[in-house]
Amino acid sequence: MLEINELRKRFAGSPGSPVAKIALDGISFTVRPGEMFGFVGANGAGKTTTMRIVMGVLQADSGSVSLRGEPIGPGDRRRFGYMPEERGLYQKMRVGEQIEYFGRLHGMSAAAVKKATDDLLEQLGLTERRNDAVQALSLGNQQRVQLAVALVHDPELLILDEPFSGLDPIAVDALATVLQERCRGGVPVIFSSHQLELVERLCDSVGIVSAGRMVAAGTVAGLRAAEAGELRVVVRDPAPGWADGLPGTVTVDGDRHILRCTGGDDQEILRRAVKAGRVEHFGAEQPSLTDIFKEAVA
Amino acid sequence: MNGLMLVARREIMTQLRTKGFVIGLLITAVLVAAVSFAPKVLGGEDSYTLGTVNSQQLPLQAAAPDTKFEWRQFPDENAATQAVVDGDVDAVLVNGTKVLTDGQVDGELGVLLQSVNREVKLGAAGVSIPPLQMQSVGADTRYESARTGIAVVLVLVLFMLIIGQVMMVAMGVVEEKGSRIVEILLSTVRPWQLLGGKIVGLGTLGLINMVTILVVGLGSAMASGIATDFPPGIPGLVAAVLVWFVLGYLFFAALAAAFGSLVSRQEEVGSVLTPLTMLIMIAYLVAFYATNDPTGTLATVVSYIPPFSSMVMPVRMAATEVPLWEVAVSMGAMLLAVPVVLAFGAKIYERAVLRTGARLKLGDVLRAK
Ligand SMILES: Nc1ncnc2c1ncn2[C@@H]1O[C@H](COP(=O)(O)OP(=O)(O)OP(=O)(O)O)[C@@H](O)[C@H]1O
Ligand SMILES: [Mg+2]
């Protein structure tokens, strides 16, 4: 279990941007073993900063990161897999050698790294490109190599900063499959993304960060329950003024009147609608993660 | 330590595989061999073919033991003249009284012929002159020109190799910083391992270069025969040069890493390294001056000051005989300076290498926590 506890980080001003910037303002969350954790938030909310602190690439001003109750150190981080926001690979190095090199740096034996590289290249559809220099690959394929670098040593925790950006739908599915596989093996996976439908589809838990604080966290279902669903009623050709006194707003589309509201007595609304005209639709809309997100960061 | 060795190995393998490295090494080897053979090709002959017409051969060999003489006999002056004009012989002694040559006689040969001829004639007349005994009361200057030659080659080689490898360190640091590979690397290895591996790897390549130059240089010097003019103590000098190269390289490489980590783009490497290249240039210029005046005040004083000593001292050692204690003091100072500079370089590197973007100021990096 990974625990992020009250992280704070302030960037001092520089000649280019003289004002100091508070990037993290006491962010806390936990990720359980085998959990896929979606990390969402507006641009500049502090996702990358948090991940860099977990990876030890940045130092927090205060707060702690612990794994199974112990503060994490360099030894733990060697067993993590990390895909940074700004991708970085040796452009002139060959794909296979690059993956093997990082595996060795993570402490793998030459034989083990060879096998792991073969498997990953196979899984990510890069076997034919093994001996190509990275710079000869398309951006999306370079991203697959970057992922392979993060996965080669069978990490016990995965931290991926926007791993899906720039991938085609097929590559997204391939990557999603790989991540789900690792996750089922008990590895906690944290990834940030702006593709909320994807997060909704893949993640067990979601954390919404805004201005350096965690404003909502939990399972997608849990967040939905907390967020009252919106009631949507469609009435065909109702008597005018039928919705007077009811909560919510009415929009008119031809002879259809659409009432949207949250809260209020749904049974009373139904009675009024039936009296007013022909009810074509009556139901609670599930809030999407996008709705929850907009609500949370508002 | 393992991380450091892996990083070093990658540096070495990457370079060894490039065409540039192999071609560079070949070119250096050819150049060094050419330099070693040059004195032989360009310098005066030290073998002469001489002829006689109706004369006794002169005992030149006894007067010039290092030179080879070959004698031929001609039936008459006409045949001898033809041979001289054709270049078959350098000079022909006719009737024991005159010498035929093609144009002006070679200076050394002329003096030799005159003095040996005089000696033989006087001896025949019963006059014997004991040869003058030469005794030097100053420094041993027998090997002076060989020493200067070696020193000049050495200063060039040290300069080229140090500045070349040091630039590679800086460019490697910037490559990793600019492409943000450091971010993954530093989540796996410690900054000192990454930097140490780079310095060790590129230093090893520098040593491979240096050893190639020394082996090819000494080998061709022996093959061409100029090695016979070399002063004694060459093995000691070779060992000293290797140690000084390593020390100088470590010092400058640590600074190159520190300066390099301040920028994120290759185009900025040149300008950010300017103070460092100036430092190396100064060492080079003083060392070059020392080839000519190895015992002068400038060369002597600077040969104690790190990091200049790493180039000036080996050059002085090649150009003259430097007392052992002087070498020991100078090397001691450098041995103290190198760890300090390495620690400083590693500190700057560690603080700066993750701060991508605009060029950082050294002062800001030092002040920042
Ligand atoms: N090196 C830095 N120097 C100064 N400010 C920084 C630095 N890195 C991040 N910040 C600031 O910290 C805040 C959080 O940035 P961060 O990169 O963590 O956001 P993010 O959530 O990853 O955004 P995005 O979705 O755009 O990737 C931003 O306001 C950013 O300007
Ligand atoms: Mg980010």
Side-chain angles (χ1 to χ4, degrees):
Chain A
M1 182 150 100
L2 180 77
E3 280 174 280
I4 313 287
N5 201 2
E6 285 286 313
L7 286 184
R8 285 173 200 281
K9 177 74 188 179
R10 185 175 157 278
F11 287 104
S14 61
S17 48
V19 254
K21 166 89 201 167
I22 293 176
L24 295 184
D25 190 16
I27 194 170
S28 304
F29 60 96
T30 55
V31 185
R32 278 172 291 278
E35 184 173 58
M36 179 99 72
F37 186 88
F39 204 26
V40 301
N43 293 132
K47 303 179 292 295
T48 298
T49 306
T50 307
M51 291 178 158
R52 285 189 172 148
I53 289 172
V54 174
M55 288 315 298
V57 172
L58 265 181
Q59 257 60 53
D61 298 336
S62 67
S64 63
V65 181
S66 51
L67 189 68
R68 294 181 222 97
E70 301 281 330
I72 62 172
D76 298 302
R77 292 192 178 105
R78 279 187 80 187
R79 299 192 302 275
F80 294 178
Y82 178 45
M83 182 160 171
E85 174 175 56
E86 291 176 72
R87 318 291 186 221
L89 294 169
Y90 289 106
Q91 289 293 316
K92 297 201 177 95
M93 212 170 169
R94 292 180 186 165
V95 169
E97 281 170 7
Q98 180 127 242
I99 300 170
E100 288 177 8
Y101 175 58
F102 280 100
R104 294 300 308 274
L105 284 183
H106 281 287
M108 294 173 85
S109 73
V113 90
K114 169 92 176 47
K115 165 117 188 27
T117 304
D118 288 343
D119 292 350
L120 270 172
L121 289 173
E122 180 74 44
Q123 265 184 322
L124 295 168
L126 288 171
T127 308
E128 273 90 76
R129 314 305 301 265
R130 185 180 184 121
N131 289 324
D132 290 352
V134 168
Q135 61 190 1
L137 267 55
S138 73
L139 206 64
N141 279 341
Q142 291 193 16
Q143 189 144 328
R144 295 183 204 206
V145 178
Q146 191 87 53
L147 183 77
V149 163
L151 292 174
V152 61
H153 55 294
D154 222 343
E156 57 180 47
L157 173 73
L158 268 172
I159 299 207
L160 312 169
D161 203 348
E162 301 192 21
F164 293 100
S165 73
L167 293 183
D168 67 47
I170 300 182
V172 166
D173 283 346
L175 172 50
T177 311
V178 172
L179 294 187
Q180 280 168 327
E181 219 166 78
R182 302 280 168 151
C183 220
R184 269 196 298 277
V187 175
V189 177
I190 305 175
F191 72 89
S192 69
S193 179
H194 293 296
Q195 287 148 276
L196 298 181
E197 316 78 63
L198 195 62
V199 174
E200 193 166 358
R201 178 155 69 85
L202 293 178
C203 291
D204 307 302
S205 305
V206 177
I208 302 174
V209 56
S210 176
R213 300 186 64 85
M214 192 58 95
V215 288
T219 61
V220 177
L223 290 175
R224 279 205 184 109
E227 179 97 346
E230 187 187 58
L231 184 66
R232 185 159 151 266
V233 188
V234 181
V235 190
R236 192 81 175 263
D237 207 8
W242 70 278
D244 288 350
L246 291 180
T249 54
V250 177
T251 47
V252 180
D253 175 15
D255 58 356
R256 285 191 179 81
H257 285 218
I258 302 150
L259 171 76
R260 295 167 194 274
C261 69
T262 48
D265 181 353
D266 51 358
Q267 295 309 308
E268 170 62 19
I269 293 168
L270 179 60
R271 272 194 295 277
R272 293 268 295 270
V274 169
K275 241 197 274 168
R278 181 183 153 76
V279 177
E280 283 192 338
H281 176 91
F282 180 89
E285 296 284 288
Q286 284 271 47
S288 68
L289 186 56
T290 310
D291 299 327
I292 299 172
F293 174 79
K294 283 182 181 157
E295 181 71 19
V297 303
Chain B
M1 206 61 209
N2 192 25
L4 189 150
M5 291 323 290
L6 284 167
V7 175
R9 209 188 61 176
R10 195 197 81 88
E11 295 291 343
I12 295 171
M13 295 314 291
T14 310
Q15 285 303 316
L16 283 184
R17 266 212 221 133
T18 61
K19 282 204 199 88
F21 181 83
V22 180
I23 292 173
L25 204 58
L26 283 177
I27 291 178
T28 325
V30 169
L31 277 180
V32 171
V35 167
S36 311
F37 275 101
K40 206 67 197 172
V41 179
L42 303 176
E45 281 181 280
D46 32 20
S47 83
Y48 296 103
T49 311
L50 301 172
T52 52
V53 176
N54 189 25
S55 322
Q56 286 281 318
Q57 290 180 9
L58 289 172
L60 297 175
Q61 197 66 62
D66 289 341
T67 312
K68 268 180 57 189
F69 299 96
E70 204 190 309
W71 290 93
R72 289 215 212 143
Q73 227 179 341
F74 294 97
D76 54 36
E77 204 173 323
N78 281 345
T81 306
Q82 192 57 46
V84 168
V85 172
D86 289 350
D88 293 343
V89 287
D90 295 301
V92 179
L93 182 62
V94 182
N95 300 329
T97 53
K98 78 175 172 191
V99 174
L100 304 177
T101 55
D102 186 5
Q104 185 89 17
V105 67
D106 177 290
E108 205 178 331
L109 182 62
V111 173
L112 206 58
L113 285 170
Q114 287 291 13
S115 69
V116 172
N117 175 50
R118 211 172 292 138
E119 217 171 293
V120 169
K121 296 273 157 65
L122 286 170
V127 184
S128 109
I129 313 162
L132 292 176
Q133 266 201 336
M134 304 293 176
Q135 188 184 346
S136 163
V137 292
D140 187 349
T141 54
R142 257 179 309 170
Y143 304 109
E144 197 163 7
S145 65
R147 278 186 180 279
T148 309
I150 294 173
V152 168
V153 173
L154 191 59
V155 73
L156 284 170
V157 166
L158 278 172
F159 173 70
M160 297 297 293
L161 273 186
I162 285 188
I163 203 152
Q165 293 312 106
V166 156
M167 287 299 282
M168 300 260 291
V169 170
M171 288 186 325
V173 165
V174 176
E175 181 198 359
E176 284 168 359
K177 180 179 180 183
S179 66
R180 303 295 320 217
I181 303 174
V182 266
E183 209 169 300
I184 327 177
L185 290 170
L186 290 186
S187 60
T188 337
V189 294
R190 313 302 308 141
W192 65 265
Q193 289 175 313
L194 184 54
L195 181 56
K198 188 170 284 301
I199 291 180
V200 168
L202 291 171
T204 307
L205 289 165
L207 268 181
I208 293 177
N209 255 311
M210 181 58 107
V211 169
T212 309
I213 290 171
L214 290 173
V215 168
V216 172
L218 290 177
S220 29
M222 278 194 255
S224 71
I226 61 168
T228 49
D229 294 342
F230 280 2
I234 288 288
L237 181 64
V238 166
V241 165
L242 290 176
V243 173
W244 279 115
F245 169 71
V246 169
L247 289 175
Y249 163 76
L250 285 177
F251 189 103
F252 292 118
L255 290 182
F259 286 123
S261 67
L262 299 178
V263 300
S264 307
R265 298 185 305 130
Q266 294 291 353
E267 304 88 88
E268 293 174 310
V269 176
S271 67
V272 81
L273 283 191
T274 308
L276 179 63
T277 32
M278 297 278 281
L279 210 61
I280 301 178
M281 279 307 289
I282 294 174
Y284 168 69
L285 290 175
V286 176
F288 203 90
Y289 174 80
T291 59
N292 210 11
D293 186 13
T295 48
T297 316
L298 177 70
T300 310
V301 170
V302 176
S303 71
Y304 287 106
I305 307 173
F308 308 111
S309 50
S310 64
M311 275 160 97
V312 181
M313 190 49 109
V315 166
R316 279 191 67 211
M317 287 170 74
T320 184
E321 261 174 72
V322 182
L324 205 58
W325 70 265
E326 283 193 32
V327 180
V329 170
S330 161
M331 202 175 267
M334 191 68 184
L335 279 171
L336 289 180
V338 164
V340 173
V341 175
L342 276 174
F344 168 82
K347 186 100 256 163
I348 298 290
Y349 174 81
E350 188 175 345
R351 289 180 182 185
V353 77
L354 286 166
R355 292 170 59 184
T356 30
R359 175 173 169 172
L360 302 168
K361 288 217 179 67
L362 190 59
D364 291 344
V365 176
L366 279 173
R367 242 170 286 125
K369 185 218 78 93

